[in-house]
Amino acid sequence: MDRAALADFLRRRREALQPGDVGLAAGVRRRAPGLRREEVAALATMSTDYYTRLEQQRGPQPSPQLLASLARALRLTGDERDYLFRVAGHNPPASVSAATHVSPALLRVLDRLADTPALILSNLGETLVQNRMAEALFGDRSGHTGLARSEIYRWFTDPAERSRYPEADRDRQSRAQVANLRAAYGSMGPQSRAGELVRALQKASPEFAELWERHEVAQRFADHKTLIHPELGPIELDCQVLFTEDQSQALLVLTAPPRSEGYEKLQLLAVLGTERFPAST
């Protein structure tokens, strides 16, 4: 671990960012350039004290998980992320885990979408980042582990995953999930994480196995869907998708036309947030 190089790199990357670059309000006049240490710590979900010690060449060696959080908070490119890992005394992430490093370009767009649900997904349907509105609409998707990180896997193995969609639309969603996975499988190959996901789902779900044999391939760029919220009921939304150049990640943005019922429900969702009301007796 090169403490001096790590400290200098973190400080310079922090000072190169402005609040608007990471979706924060500028606030009062700042004496120092760039982000404050506490802002970087909050973005990386770590304590300010621990981050401060890293910049001061003190403290224990950060874990790979913590470094990945710092890379995302500081909007690092792939090369910068690998450098961060090396000076911290770790090997850069292998291609399997590096795929979850969020594209800085997509993060910059997401940072500016505070009033509508938006989230960044991997090509395997793993939620990498979601904004507050997306969490209010879909729930917190950050706690899943293993194959269940993929919404495709959950769709075919966890009945609760389908509760956000009207029953009449679930067959179409099943076909779309499989077609998306087929596209990822074609680009990543049978020995990839996509292949692992396919083999697991073929064993776990007869429905998936039947749909997989159809060889339907598609990546959705736009969609109109109805989602069912526990408190607000059905919400009609338009879904737009922005892909990275290599198609490995996508930013999903859900909107509704102004003055429509869906738009009004999104306004209510912004107020409701993740709060749930107890059922009346």
Side-chain angles (χ1 to χ4, degrees), residues 202-228:
Q202 285 175 321
K203 294 178 181 178
S205 170
E207 179 191 11
F208 174 87
E210 189 275 326
L211 291 173
W212 184 253
E213 291 305 313
R214 297 186 185 185
H215 285 263
E216 294 178 339
V217 185
Q219 285 183 316
R220 287 178 290 177
F221 289 86
D223 195 8
H224 182 81
K225 62 178 64 182
T226 299
L227 295 171
I228 301 174

PDB file of all heavy atoms in Angstrom, residues 202-228:
ATOM      1  N   GLN A 202     -32.191 -22.223 -16.139  1.00  0.00           N
ATOM      2  CA  GLN A 202     -32.714 -23.403 -16.830  1.00  0.00           C
ATOM      3  C   GLN A 202     -33.073 -24.509 -15.834  1.00  0.00           C
ATOM      4  O   GLN A 202     -34.023 -25.258 -16.048  1.00  0.00           O
ATOM      5  CB  GLN A 202     -31.696 -23.912 -17.847  1.00  0.00           C
ATOM      6  CG  GLN A 202     -31.611 -23.058 -19.106  1.00  0.00           C
ATOM      7  CD  GLN A 202     -30.519 -23.520 -20.043  1.00  0.00           C
ATOM      8  OE1 GLN A 202     -29.431 -23.915 -19.603  1.00  0.00           O
ATOM      9  NE2 GLN A 202     -30.784 -23.452 -21.345  1.00  0.00           N
ATOM     10  N   LYS A 203     -32.318 -24.598 -14.746  1.00  0.00           N
ATOM     11  CA  LYS A 203     -32.607 -25.593 -13.712  1.00  0.00           C
ATOM     12  C   LYS A 203     -33.738 -25.140 -12.792  1.00  0.00           C
ATOM     13  O   LYS A 203     -34.533 -25.952 -12.326  1.00  0.00           O
ATOM     14  CB  LYS A 203     -31.358 -25.864 -12.879  1.00  0.00           C
ATOM     15  CG  LYS A 203     -30.225 -26.521 -13.650  1.00  0.00           C
ATOM     16  CD  LYS A 203     -29.009 -26.705 -12.755  1.00  0.00           C
ATOM     17  CE  LYS A 203     -27.853 -27.350 -13.510  1.00  0.00           C
ATOM     18  NZ  LYS A 203     -26.644 -27.500 -12.659  1.00  0.00           N
ATOM     19  N   ALA A 204     -33.815 -23.837 -12.540  1.00  0.00           N
ATOM     20  CA  ALA A 204     -34.740 -23.329 -11.530  1.00  0.00           C
ATOM     21  C   ALA A 204     -36.134 -23.033 -12.061  1.00  0.00           C
ATOM     22  O   ALA A 204     -37.100 -23.065 -11.302  1.00  0.00           O
ATOM     23  CB  ALA A 204     -34.163 -22.060 -10.882  1.00  0.00           C
ATOM     24  N   SER A 205     -36.254 -22.752 -13.374  1.00  0.00           N
ATOM     25  CA  SER A 205     -37.529 -22.264 -13.890  1.00  0.00           C
ATOM     26  C   SER A 205     -37.888 -22.911 -15.222  1.00  0.00           C
ATOM     27  O   SER A 205     -37.277 -22.612 -16.247  1.00  0.00           O
ATOM     28  CB  SER A 205     -37.470 -20.740 -14.061  1.00  0.00           C
ATOM     29  OG  SER A 205     -38.592 -20.262 -14.772  1.00  0.00           O
ATOM     30  N   PRO A 206     -38.914 -23.769 -15.250  1.00  0.00           N
ATOM     31  CA  PRO A 206     -39.384 -24.327 -16.524  1.00  0.00           C
ATOM     32  C   PRO A 206     -39.859 -23.232 -17.484  1.00  0.00           C
ATOM     33  O   PRO A 206     -39.690 -23.366 -18.700  1.00  0.00           O
ATOM     34  CB  PRO A 206     -40.542 -25.234 -16.098  1.00  0.00           C
ATOM     35  CG  PRO A 206     -40.248 -25.598 -14.676  1.00  0.00           C
ATOM     36  CD  PRO A 206     -39.597 -24.385 -14.094  1.00  0.00           C
ATOM     37  N   GLU A 207     -40.448 -22.164 -16.942  1.00  0.00           N
ATOM     38  CA  GLU A 207     -40.895 -21.056 -17.792  1.00  0.00           C
ATOM     39  C   GLU A 207     -39.712 -20.436 -18.519  1.00  0.00           C
ATOM     40  O   GLU A 207     -39.758 -20.191 -19.736  1.00  0.00           O
ATOM     41  CB  GLU A 207     -41.607 -19.990 -16.960  1.00  0.00           C
ATOM     42  CG  GLU A 207     -42.064 -18.793 -17.790  1.00  0.00           C
ATOM     43  CD  GLU A 207     -42.520 -17.626 -16.943  1.00  0.00           C
ATOM     44  OE1 GLU A 207     -42.303 -17.652 -15.710  1.00  0.00           O
ATOM     45  OE2 GLU A 207     -43.072 -16.671 -17.514  1.00  0.00           O
ATOM     46  N   PHE A 208     -38.622 -20.175 -17.783  1.00  0.00           N
ATOM     47  CA  PHE A 208     -37.433 -19.619 -18.417  1.00  0.00           C
ATOM     48  C   PHE A 208     -36.886 -20.576 -19.470  1.00  0.00           C
ATOM     49  O   PHE A 208     -36.527 -20.153 -20.577  1.00  0.00           O
ATOM     50  CB  PHE A 208     -36.350 -19.334 -17.377  1.00  0.00           C
ATOM     51  CG  PHE A 208     -35.045 -18.895 -17.991  1.00  0.00           C
ATOM     52  CD1 PHE A 208     -34.816 -17.557 -18.283  1.00  0.00           C
ATOM     53  CD2 PHE A 208     -34.048 -19.819 -18.298  1.00  0.00           C
ATOM     54  CE1 PHE A 208     -33.623 -17.151 -18.875  1.00  0.00           C
ATOM     55  CE2 PHE A 208     -32.859 -19.417 -18.888  1.00  0.00           C
ATOM     56  CZ  PHE A 208     -32.648 -18.087 -19.178  1.00  0.00           C
ATOM     57  N   ALA A 209     -36.791 -21.853 -19.133  1.00  0.00           N
ATOM     58  CA  ALA A 209     -36.226 -22.833 -20.067  1.00  0.00           C
ATOM     59  C   ALA A 209     -37.007 -22.854 -21.377  1.00  0.00           C
ATOM     60  O   ALA A 209     -36.424 -22.938 -22.465  1.00  0.00           O
ATOM     61  CB  ALA A 209     -36.219 -24.212 -19.425  1.00  0.00           C
ATOM     62  N   GLU A 210     -38.337 -22.752 -21.291  1.00  0.00           N
ATOM     63  CA  GLU A 210     -39.164 -22.762 -22.497  1.00  0.00           C
ATOM     64  C   GLU A 210     -38.943 -21.495 -23.320  1.00  0.00           C
ATOM     65  O   GLU A 210     -38.792 -21.557 -24.547  1.00  0.00           O
ATOM     66  CB  GLU A 210     -40.634 -22.901 -22.102  1.00  0.00           C
ATOM     67  CG  GLU A 210     -41.583 -23.140 -23.269  1.00  0.00           C
ATOM     68  CD  GLU A 210     -42.024 -21.861 -23.953  1.00  0.00           C
ATOM     69  OE1 GLU A 210     -42.170 -20.835 -23.258  1.00  0.00           O
ATOM     70  OE2 GLU A 210     -42.201 -21.885 -25.196  1.00  0.00           O
ATOM     71  N   LEU A 211     -38.879 -20.350 -22.646  1.00  0.00           N
ATOM     72  CA  LEU A 211     -38.677 -19.086 -23.360  1.00  0.00           C
ATOM     73  C   LEU A 211     -37.270 -19.000 -23.956  1.00  0.00           C
ATOM     74  O   LEU A 211     -37.078 -18.417 -25.035  1.00  0.00           O
ATOM     75  CB  LEU A 211     -38.922 -17.904 -22.415  1.00  0.00           C
ATOM     76  CG  LEU A 211     -40.374 -17.682 -21.975  1.00  0.00           C
ATOM     77  CD1 LEU A 211     -40.440 -16.600 -20.906  1.00  0.00           C
ATOM     78  CD2 LEU A 211     -41.248 -17.302 -23.165  1.00  0.00           C
ATOM     79  N   TRP A 212     -36.291 -19.567 -23.260  1.00  0.00           N
ATOM     80  CA  TRP A 212     -34.911 -19.522 -23.745  1.00  0.00           C
ATOM     81  C   TRP A 212     -34.783 -20.234 -25.086  1.00  0.00           C
ATOM     82  O   TRP A 212     -34.008 -19.814 -25.958  1.00  0.00           O
ATOM     83  CB  TRP A 212     -33.989 -20.137 -22.710  1.00  0.00           C
ATOM     84  CG  TRP A 212     -32.520 -20.044 -23.069  1.00  0.00           C
ATOM     85  CD1 TRP A 212     -31.706 -21.059 -23.487  1.00  0.00           C
ATOM     86  CD2 TRP A 212     -31.710 -18.864 -23.044  1.00  0.00           C
ATOM     87  NE1 TRP A 212     -30.442 -20.594 -23.710  1.00  0.00           N
ATOM     88  CE2 TRP A 212     -30.411 -19.243 -23.457  1.00  0.00           C
ATOM     89  CE3 TRP A 212     -31.951 -17.538 -22.714  1.00  0.00           C
ATOM     90  CZ2 TRP A 212     -29.356 -18.336 -23.552  1.00  0.00           C
ATOM     91  CZ3 TRP A 212     -30.912 -16.630 -22.799  1.00  0.00           C
ATOM     92  CH2 TRP A 212     -29.630 -17.026 -23.222  1.00  0.00           C
ATOM     93  N   GLU A 213     -35.544 -21.288 -25.269  1.00  0.00           N
ATOM     94  CA  GLU A 213     -35.475 -22.064 -26.501  1.00  0.00           C
ATOM     95  C   GLU A 213     -36.043 -21.312 -27.706  1.00  0.00           C
ATOM     96  O   GLU A 213     -35.840 -21.721 -28.846  1.00  0.00           O
ATOM     97  CB  GLU A 213     -36.204 -23.395 -26.329  1.00  0.00           C
ATOM     98  CG  GLU A 213     -35.514 -24.364 -25.375  1.00  0.00           C
ATOM     99  CD  GLU A 213     -34.065 -24.623 -25.774  1.00  0.00           C
ATOM    100  OE1 GLU A 213     -33.814 -24.884 -26.970  1.00  0.00           O
ATOM    101  OE2 GLU A 213     -33.178 -24.546 -24.894  1.00  0.00           O
ATOM    102  N   ARG A 214     -36.742 -20.217 -27.471  1.00  0.00           N
ATOM    103  CA  ARG A 214     -37.289 -19.440 -28.584  1.00  0.00           C
ATOM    104  C   ARG A 214     -36.226 -18.593 -29.281  1.00  0.00           C
ATOM    105  O   ARG A 214     -36.436 -18.090 -30.378  1.00  0.00           O
ATOM    106  CB  ARG A 214     -38.402 -18.521 -28.085  1.00  0.00           C
ATOM    107  CG  ARG A 214     -39.617 -19.248 -27.509  1.00  0.00           C
ATOM    108  CD  ARG A 214     -40.724 -18.257 -27.178  1.00  0.00           C
ATOM    109  NE  ARG A 214     -41.859 -18.899 -26.516  1.00  0.00           N
ATOM    110  CZ  ARG A 214     -42.992 -18.266 -26.221  1.00  0.00           C
ATOM    111  NH1 ARG A 214     -43.135 -16.970 -26.527  1.00  0.00           N
ATOM    112  NH2 ARG A 214     -43.968 -18.902 -25.601  1.00  0.00           N
ATOM    113  N   HIS A 215     -35.102 -18.365 -28.630  1.00  0.00           N
ATOM    114  CA  HIS A 215     -33.985 -17.601 -29.191  1.00  0.00           C
ATOM    115  C   HIS A 215     -34.399 -16.176 -29.585  1.00  0.00           C
ATOM    116  O   HIS A 215     -33.928 -15.627 -30.586  1.00  0.00           O
ATOM    117  CB  HIS A 215     -33.382 -18.318 -30.405  1.00  0.00           C
ATOM    118  CG  HIS A 215     -32.545 -19.502 -30.024  1.00  0.00           C
ATOM    119  ND1 HIS A 215     -31.176 -19.458 -29.898  1.00  0.00           N
ATOM    120  CD2 HIS A 215     -32.900 -20.776 -29.709  1.00  0.00           C
ATOM    121  CE1 HIS A 215     -30.717 -20.653 -29.540  1.00  0.00           C
ATOM    122  NE2 HIS A 215     -31.748 -21.463 -29.412  1.00  0.00           N
ATOM    123  N   GLU A 216     -35.246 -15.564 -28.791  1.00  0.00           N
ATOM    124  CA  GLU A 216     -35.599 -14.163 -29.023  1.00  0.00           C
ATOM    125  C   GLU A 216     -34.497 -13.284 -28.438  1.00  0.00           C
ATOM    126  O   GLU A 216     -34.050 -13.497 -27.308  1.00  0.00           O
ATOM    127  CB  GLU A 216     -36.947 -13.839 -28.383  1.00  0.00           C
ATOM    128  CG  GLU A 216     -38.102 -14.587 -29.035  1.00  0.00           C
ATOM    129  CD  GLU A 216     -39.439 -14.304 -28.375  1.00  0.00           C
ATOM    130  OE1 GLU A 216     -39.444 -13.867 -27.202  1.00  0.00           O
ATOM    131  OE2 GLU A 216     -40.468 -14.542 -29.024  1.00  0.00           O
ATOM    132  N   VAL A 217     -34.064 -12.292 -29.198  1.00  0.00           N
ATOM    133  CA  VAL A 217     -32.961 -11.410 -28.793  1.00  0.00           C
ATOM    134  C   VAL A 217     -33.420  -9.969 -28.931  1.00  0.00           C
ATOM    135  O   VAL A 217     -33.892  -9.569 -30.003  1.00  0.00           O
ATOM    136  CB  VAL A 217     -31.701 -11.630 -29.653  1.00  0.00           C
ATOM    137  CG1 VAL A 217     -30.543 -10.790 -29.123  1.00  0.00           C
ATOM    138  CG2 VAL A 217     -31.328 -13.094 -29.709  1.00  0.00           C
ATOM    139  N   ALA A 218     -33.257  -9.177 -27.868  1.00  0.00           N
ATOM    140  CA  ALA A 218     -33.652  -7.769 -27.943  1.00  0.00           C
ATOM    141  C   ALA A 218     -33.095  -7.002 -26.763  1.00  0.00           C
ATOM    142  O   ALA A 218     -32.937  -7.549 -25.666  1.00  0.00           O
ATOM    143  CB  ALA A 218     -35.178  -7.626 -27.966  1.00  0.00           C
ATOM    144  N   GLN A 219     -32.770  -5.739 -27.009  1.00  0.00           N
ATOM    145  CA  GLN A 219     -32.471  -4.787 -25.935  1.00  0.00           C
ATOM    146  C   GLN A 219     -33.470  -3.651 -26.068  1.00  0.00           C
ATOM    147  O   GLN A 219     -33.573  -3.017 -27.112  1.00  0.00           O
ATOM    148  CB  GLN A 219     -31.045  -4.246 -26.049  1.00  0.00           C
ATOM    149  CG  GLN A 219     -29.987  -5.234 -25.628  1.00  0.00           C
ATOM    150  CD  GLN A 219     -28.607  -4.623 -25.681  1.00  0.00           C
ATOM    151  OE1 GLN A 219     -28.260  -3.941 -26.634  1.00  0.00           O
ATOM    152  NE2 GLN A 219     -27.805  -4.869 -24.669  1.00  0.00           N
ATOM    153  N   ARG A 220     -34.224  -3.408 -25.008  1.00  0.00           N
ATOM    154  CA  ARG A 220     -35.281  -2.391 -25.085  1.00  0.00           C
ATOM    155  C   ARG A 220     -34.696  -0.990 -24.952  1.00  0.00           C
ATOM    156  O   ARG A 220     -34.012  -0.682 -23.987  1.00  0.00           O
ATOM    157  CB  ARG A 220     -36.314  -2.628 -23.990  1.00  0.00           C
ATOM    158  CG  ARG A 220     -37.211  -3.838 -24.253  1.00  0.00           C
ATOM    159  CD  ARG A 220     -38.180  -4.043 -23.111  1.00  0.00           C
ATOM    160  NE  ARG A 220     -37.485  -4.494 -21.898  1.00  0.00           N
ATOM    161  CZ  ARG A 220     -38.083  -4.704 -20.730  1.00  0.00           C
ATOM    162  NH1 ARG A 220     -39.364  -4.498 -20.608  1.00  0.00           N
ATOM    163  NH2 ARG A 220     -37.379  -5.108 -19.690  1.00  0.00           N
ATOM    164  N   PHE A 221     -35.006  -0.154 -25.937  1.00  0.00           N
ATOM    165  CA  PHE A 221     -34.576   1.246 -25.888  1.00  0.00           C
ATOM    166  C   PHE A 221     -35.697   2.140 -25.363  1.00  0.00           C
ATOM    167  O   PHE A 221     -35.456   3.220 -24.875  1.00  0.00           O
ATOM    168  CB  PHE A 221     -34.145   1.713 -27.276  1.00  0.00           C
ATOM    169  CG  PHE A 221     -32.853   1.116 -27.737  1.00  0.00           C
ATOM    170  CD1 PHE A 221     -32.826  -0.117 -28.372  1.00  0.00           C
ATOM    171  CD2 PHE A 221     -31.651   1.766 -27.508  1.00  0.00           C
ATOM    172  CE1 PHE A 221     -31.629  -0.677 -28.787  1.00  0.00           C
ATOM    173  CE2 PHE A 221     -30.452   1.203 -27.913  1.00  0.00           C
ATOM    174  CZ  PHE A 221     -30.448  -0.017 -28.556  1.00  0.00           C
ATOM    175  N   ALA A 222     -36.927   1.707 -25.498  1.00  0.00           N
ATOM    176  CA  ALA A 222     -38.064   2.485 -25.021  1.00  0.00           C
ATOM    177  C   ALA A 222     -39.212   1.529 -24.731  1.00  0.00           C
ATOM    178  O   ALA A 222     -39.332   0.473 -25.353  1.00  0.00           O
ATOM    179  CB  ALA A 222     -38.483   3.534 -26.049  1.00  0.00           C
ATOM    180  N   ASP A 223     -40.062   1.904 -23.797  1.00  0.00           N
ATOM    181  CA  ASP A 223     -41.160   1.033 -23.426  1.00  0.00           C
ATOM    182  C   ASP A 223     -42.220   1.884 -22.742  1.00  0.00           C
ATOM    183  O   ASP A 223     -41.928   2.949 -22.189  1.00  0.00           O
ATOM    184  CB  ASP A 223     -40.663  -0.079 -22.487  1.00  0.00           C
ATOM    185  CG  ASP A 223     -41.659  -1.217 -22.348  1.00  0.00           C
ATOM    186  OD1 ASP A 223     -42.661  -1.217 -23.090  1.00  0.00           O
ATOM    187  OD2 ASP A 223     -41.432  -2.096 -21.509  1.00  0.00           O
ATOM    188  N   HIS A 224     -43.456   1.419 -22.814  1.00  0.00           N
ATOM    189  CA  HIS A 224     -44.555   2.019 -22.051  1.00  0.00           C
ATOM    190  C   HIS A 224     -45.068   0.938 -21.121  1.00  0.00           C
ATOM    191  O   HIS A 224     -45.367  -0.174 -21.572  1.00  0.00           O
ATOM    192  CB  HIS A 224     -45.672   2.503 -22.984  1.00  0.00           C
ATOM    193  CG  HIS A 224     -46.798   3.163 -22.246  1.00  0.00           C
ATOM    194  ND1 HIS A 224     -46.751   4.479 -21.829  1.00  0.00           N
ATOM    195  CD2 HIS A 224     -47.990   2.672 -21.819  1.00  0.00           C
ATOM    196  CE1 HIS A 224     -47.870   4.782 -21.189  1.00  0.00           C
ATOM    197  NE2 HIS A 224     -48.635   3.707 -21.175  1.00  0.00           N
ATOM    198  N   LYS A 225     -45.113   1.228 -19.854  1.00  0.00           N
ATOM    199  CA  LYS A 225     -45.483   0.190 -18.909  1.00  0.00           C
ATOM    200  C   LYS A 225     -46.341   0.747 -17.789  1.00  0.00           C
ATOM    201  O   LYS A 225     -46.352   1.962 -17.524  1.00  0.00           O
ATOM    202  CB  LYS A 225     -44.244  -0.473 -18.320  1.00  0.00           C
ATOM    203  CG  LYS A 225     -43.329   0.450 -17.523  1.00  0.00           C
ATOM    204  CD  LYS A 225     -42.161  -0.318 -16.933  1.00  0.00           C
ATOM    205  CE  LYS A 225     -41.263  -0.895 -17.983  1.00  0.00           C
ATOM    206  NZ  LYS A 225     -40.138  -1.677 -17.439  1.00  0.00           N
ATOM    207  N   THR A 226     -47.043  -0.150 -17.141  1.00  0.00           N
ATOM    208  CA  THR A 226     -47.803   0.175 -15.939  1.00  0.00           C
ATOM    209  C   THR A 226     -47.151  -0.536 -14.766  1.00  0.00           C
ATOM    210  O   THR A 226     -46.937  -1.750 -14.803  1.00  0.00           O
ATOM    211  CB  THR A 226     -49.272  -0.266 -16.062  1.00  0.00           C
ATOM    212  OG1 THR A 226     -49.891   0.421 -17.155  1.00  0.00           O
ATOM    213  CG2 THR A 226     -50.033   0.054 -14.783  1.00  0.00           C
ATOM    214  N   LEU A 227     -46.804   0.225 -13.742  1.00  0.00           N
ATOM    215  CA  LEU A 227     -46.215  -0.329 -12.526  1.00  0.00           C
ATOM    216  C   LEU A 227     -47.193  -0.127 -11.381  1.00  0.00           C
ATOM    217  O   LEU A 227     -47.889   0.893 -11.312  1.00  0.00           O
ATOM    218  CB  LEU A 227     -44.885   0.348 -12.211  1.00  0.00           C
ATOM    219  CG  LEU A 227     -43.766   0.117 -13.234  1.00  0.00           C
ATOM    220  CD1 LEU A 227     -42.574   1.011 -12.925  1.00  0.00           C
ATOM    221  CD2 LEU A 227     -43.332  -1.340 -13.245  1.00  0.00           C
ATOM    222  N   ILE A 228     -47.240  -1.091 -10.480  1.00  0.00           N
ATOM    223  CA  ILE A 228     -48.181  -1.029  -9.363  1.00  0.00           C
ATOM    224  C   ILE A 228     -47.429  -0.669  -8.093  1.00  0.00           C
ATOM    225  O   ILE A 228     -46.564  -1.425  -7.640  1.00  0.00           O
ATOM    226  CB  ILE A 228     -48.916  -2.371  -9.192  1.00  0.00           C
ATOM    227  CG1 ILE A 228     -49.670  -2.715 -10.478  1.00  0.00           C
ATOM    228  CG2 ILE A 228     -49.883  -2.294  -8.016  1.00  0.00           C
ATOM    229  CD1 ILE A 228     -50.318  -4.086 -10.452  1.00  0.00           C
TER     230      ILE A 228
END
